[in-house]
């Protein structure tokens, strides 16, 4: 039997995975048995994701090809529900940080997207980080206040501008030595940030319509980029919707940090904070101690998960 080598998955296109193995890149397929086992376990839409640690058997005839025979257990996974595929999609495996990239305008700032990503990150074992790019553009006071609020809740918040270079060094430092997955709507400037951290990447920057052209491989799949200076970044394609996966409605509240000081005061335990009498979270919202928009975010996530439970998704 041939011996296996440890490798790390950079990206996959269709059923071919590009892995880094002993400092060289290899194109690998997955052994049918491994794939079958993962399918039976209902593992996901994409059985292998960027950042996955795998064992490969190199092809005896080619140093550039091999076969993935095992996927090692993940220490973290950032997932979402893929509506079209009707399955959980793993955006990134084994990452430490989930960096939510946002912008003050074009596209608009969406705090509810940040709330969702923060829940998905924590539930999957990653630390959420909030980044506001395009700091060279005017930033309305409501957005500044929301960012301050995220900081008060204990999230790391960074602002930067890929255009002016402001804050890029600090962002680089925050990511150094870790594996970070960048998530955000198309157009927030993920590619521009990556280019400004490493011009050699030469990622395509521009409008949604151009970048998502058929045939362009630049940003329509997640990919682990190994950048000089100890940066390991998983770039995801523009994520517009982040429907949560692999979390129960009753677990969502644990990831709303601002609810925690209040939730033990709810009359019913456990409390879903969604209409039960004597709910201390709702009282805190009424007193203005919990941001009303955070509560709205929470309710939307819980209702969406309840709906999907009713539809028998598991
Ligand atoms: P992505 O879809 O998230 O990868 O975003 P891109 O990097 O392709 O950028 C989308 C658009 O925003 C492009 O027109 C960029 O030139 C612009 N952009 C990116 N970063 C900044 C920035 O810091 N400031 C300003 N004003 N525009 C930016
Ligand atoms: Zn409650």
């Amino acid at each position: 039997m041939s011996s296996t080598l440890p490798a790390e998955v950079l990206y996959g296109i269709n059923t071919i995975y590009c892995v880094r193995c002993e400092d060289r890149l290899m194109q690998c397929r997955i052994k049918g048995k491994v794939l079958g086992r993962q399918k039976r376990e209902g593992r996901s839409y994409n059985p292998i994701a960027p950042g996955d640690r795998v064992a490969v058997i190199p092809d005896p005839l080619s140093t550039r090809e091999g076969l993935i025979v095992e996927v090692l257990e993940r220490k973290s996974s950032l997932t979402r529900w893929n509506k079209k595929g009707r399955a959980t999609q793993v955006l990134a495996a084994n990452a430490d940080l989930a960096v939510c990239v946002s912008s003050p305008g074009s596209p608009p700032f969406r705090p509810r997207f940040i709330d969702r990503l923060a829940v998905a990150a924590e539930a999957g074992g990653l630390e959420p980080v909030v980044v506001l790019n395009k700091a060279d553009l005017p930033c309305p006071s409501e957005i500044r206040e929301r960012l301050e609020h995220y900081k008060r809740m204990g999230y790391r918040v960074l602002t930067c501008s890929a255009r002016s270079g402001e804050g890029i060094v600090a962002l680089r430092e925050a990511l150094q030595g870790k594996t970070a997955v960048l998530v955000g709507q198309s157009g927030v400037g993920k590619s521009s940030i990556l280019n400004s951290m490493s011009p050699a990447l030469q990622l395509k920057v521009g409008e949604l319509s151009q970048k998502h052209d058929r045939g362009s491989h630049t940003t329509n799949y997640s990919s682990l980029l190994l950048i000089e200076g100890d940066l390991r970044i998983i770039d995801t394609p523009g994520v517009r919707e982040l429907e949560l996966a692999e979390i129960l409605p009753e677990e969502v509240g644990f990831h709303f940090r601002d609810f925690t000081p209040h939730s033990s005061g709810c009359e019913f335990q456990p409390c879903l904070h969604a209409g039960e009498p004597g709910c201390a979270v709702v009282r805190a919202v009424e007193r203005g101690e919990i941001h009303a928009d955070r509560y709205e975010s929470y309710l939307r996530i819980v209702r969406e998960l309840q709906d999907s439970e009713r539809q028998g998704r598991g």
Side-chain angles (χ1 to χ4, degrees):
M1 202 186 122
S2 340
S3 61
T4 64
L5 294 174
E8 180 174 39
V9 175
L10 303 186
Y11 59 87
I13 304 175
N14 301 322
T15 54
I16 307 289
Y17 294 88
C18 177
V19 309
R20 193 178 66 145
C21 178
E22 294 186 328
D23 281 331
R24 66 172 191 271
L25 298 183
M26 278 168 71
Q27 307 294 322
C28 295
R29 292 179 185 278
I30 320 179
K31 195 175 176 184
K33 223 165 111 187
V34 177
L35 201 61
R37 186 168 62 233
Q38 297 208 330
K39 277 203 176 128
R40 272 197 307 284
E41 287 169 3
R43 216 157 122 170
S44 69
Y45 170 80
N46 53 334
I48 296 184
D52 258 325
R53 311 273 170 170
V54 295
V56 303
I57 295 180
D59 188 321
L61 300 175
S62 156
T63 53
R64 301 279 165 210
E65 285 171 42
L67 188 66
I68 295 173
V69 294
E70 193 187 352
V71 184
L72 306 189
E73 203 179 319
R74 293 174 180 141
K75 69 168 191 185
S76 77
S77 57
L78 184 69
T79 61
R80 69 156 164 179
W81 180 252
N82 185 301
K83 256 192 201 140
K84 252 203 211 146
R86 295 197 47 76
T88 299
Q89 178 184 7
V90 183
L91 294 171
N94 300 316
D96 306 295
L97 306 174
V99 180
C100 185
V101 184
S102 61
S103 63
S106 41
F109 183 71
R110 283 171 63 201
R112 288 192 198 140
F113 184 88
I114 300 176
D115 295 338
R116 276 171 185 265
L117 184 66
V119 173
E122 285 191 359
L126 298 89
E127 183 194 339
V129 176
V130 179
V131 169
L132 184 83
N133 185 38
K134 309 199 186 185
D136 55 293
L137 299 179
C139 183
S141 59
E142 312 90 80
I143 297 179
R144 274 201 297 271
E145 278 160 25
R146 286 310 294 269
L147 293 174
E148 282 306 315
H149 185 238
Y150 284 111
K151 270 189 205 166
R152 283 200 300 279
M153 287 190 279
Y155 293 106
R156 191 128 51 112
V157 177
L158 296 161
T159 56
C160 68
S161 166
R163 184 154 293 175
S164 73
E166 173 195 342
I168 294 294
V169 170
L171 178 61
R172 206 177 209 290
E173 281 169 7
L175 308 187
Q176 226 153 29
K178 307 251 167 76
T179 303
V181 47
L182 295 192
V183 185
Q185 302 169 78
S186 227
V188 292
K190 293 182 300 299
S191 309
S192 305
I193 290 173
L194 287 166
N195 284 338
S196 71
M197 291 203 283
S198 174
L201 286 173
Q202 299 194 340
L203 298 175
K204 222 168 163 182
V205 164
E207 300 309 315
L208 180 97
S209 54
Q210 292 167 11
K211 290 212 307 184
H212 291 255
D213 267 352
R214 266 166 213 275
S216 143
H217 291 286
T218 37
T219 48
N220 47 14
Y221 56 88
S222 300
S223 160
L224 170 59
L225 305 166
L226 305 171
I227 302 172
E228 67 282 0
D230 205 11
L231 287 178
R232 297 166 44 84
I233 298 182
I234 298 176
D235 186 20
T236 62
V239 171
R240 206 156 51 90
E241 303 286 338
L242 193 77
E243 199 172 313
L244 299 187
E246 300 192 323
I247 183 166
L248 298 169
E250 51 273 29
E251 290 167 341
V252 177
F254 300 130
H255 303 291
F256 273 70
R257 303 178 173 185
D258 38 341
F259 292 11
T260 323
H262 305 280
S263 47
S264 62
C266 295
E267 207 171 299
F268 287 90
Q269 293 290 347
C271 181
L272 198 59
H273 323 305
E276 294 93 332
C279 175
V281 167
V282 169
R283 277 203 304 271
V285 175
E286 286 163 358
R287 283 199 304 268
E289 288 165 19
I290 290 176
H291 199 300
D293 197 58
R294 285 276 294 171
Y295 184 60
E296 181 61 31
S297 234
Y298 170 79
L299 283 182
R300 286 183 187 211
I301 295 171
V302 167
R303 289 192 185 126
E304 184 182 281
L305 290 170
Q306 286 174 326
D307 283 349
S308 60
E309 270 187 347
R310 273 193 286 274
Q311 288 161 19
R313 165 190 132 186

